[in-house]
Amino acid sequence: QVHLVESGGGSVPAGGSLTLSCAGSGFTDELYTMGWFRQPPGKEREGIALGFTDGRTTYADSVKGRFTVSLDSIKRTLTLEMSSLQPEDTAIYYCALSKWYVDIKPDDFPYWGQGTQVTVSS
């Protein structure tokens, strides 16, 4: 049974930094995609960064240059380093898994963590 657990959320002032981690378990696939998504209050869930087991990464335009995603495919851990955070980055951040190489769309990911809150104050 796939299990994804996020950690590292919290509250920071604008301009601050946070690092999120997602620990995956319950799967042994060698090819997969893990991703970070977020859902701001009152808005739809959006993809922000993906890590692929072939070493590639993908970012949404809104976070390019500020966020860095890294996948340890052996430990099945996905990390998101976030810097220059702004109030509009406030959201619940979710980790997700697809057992294939997919696009940065929530519908492509069947497995999800419970989410971790990130709040950025102005």
Side-chain angles (χ1 to χ4, degrees), residues 33 37 50 52 101-106 108-109:
T33 306
F37 295 77
L50 303 182
F52 302 87
Y101 290 160
V102 293
D103 293 331
I104 198 167
K105 296 181 295 183
D108 286 351
F109 289 79

Side-chain angles (χ1 to χ4, degrees), residues 2 4 20-23 31 38 41-43 50 57 62-63 69 72 77-78 86 88 95 100-101 109-110 114-115:
V2 174
L4 302 172
L20 305 182
S21 293
C22 174
L31 183 157
R38 67 185 181 187
K43 296 185 178 181
L50 303 182
T57 56
S62 59
V63 304
V69 68
D72 184 328
T77 299
L78 187 72
Q86 299 302 315
E88 53 265 34
C95 175
W100 196 244
Y101 290 160
F109 289 79
Q114 292 300 306

